[in-house]
Every structure is written in C-alpha cells, then in structure tokens.
Amino acid sequence: MSKVENRLKELGIQLPTPNAPVANYVPYVVSGKLVFISGQVTIAPDGLKYVGKLGAEISLDDGKACGQALRRQSSGRS
C-alpha cells in the first residue's frame, strides 16, 4: 500500500468504486493548490444525493458534505 492509501485507512476513509463515465470528459483539473471538479454527481445506494442549488434547496452544511463526497469520489478515479 502507498503512503496515501495507508493514511486514508488510518483516517477510516474508504474511496468508493468510481461510476462508469456517461460521457467523454475530464472529471477534475488541478491548478496550483486548487482542484476544479466538473460533471460529477453524488450517487448513493438509494440514488442521487444533494440535488439542487446551494442556498436554495441545499443547505451550506449539505453543500460541504457534497464537496467532500465528490472529492472522495473523484480521488477514486485513475
């Protein structure tokens, strides 16, 4: 296991199996210290999560949880 994999295991973080792409696109782009995520959806076993606009249908706390889920989901891609 790599250092990253070991650290994720220590923190109790398990990366989900990536979903099959539905189109040909780049899921994220790294620019300096920022990562721009695009075209991603949070899919849970019971369907889509966090559907709506931040501040309207989705609370700030749910928006943060969505961002964390997308980060984990995108990290599982090669």
Side-chain angles (χ1 to χ4, degrees):
M1 257 192 237
S2 71
K3 279 178 122 178
V4 172
E5 290 170 323
N6 286 331
R7 183 65 177 143
L8 289 172
K9 188 174 181 181
E10 286 174 17
L11 295 172
I13 298 172
Q14 183 177 0
L15 298 178
T17 303
N19 299 315
V22 295
N24 186 15
Y25 57 86
V26 178
Y28 62 90
V29 174
V30 178
S31 177
K33 294 183 178 181
L34 299 175
V35 177
F36 296 90
I37 299 172
S38 177
Q40 303 299 302
V41 294
T42 51
I43 299 177
D46 56 343
L48 291 175
K49 285 190 92 162
Y50 309 114
V51 177
K53 187 174 182 178
L54 185 63
E57 299 88 7
I58 300 175
S59 70
L60 182 58
D61 287 338
D62 281 347
K64 290 177 183 178
C66 178
Q68 292 170 348
L70 288 172
R71 184 181 65 228
R72 286 190 300 273
Q73 182 176 303
S74 295
S75 296
R77 298 187 188 282
S78 51

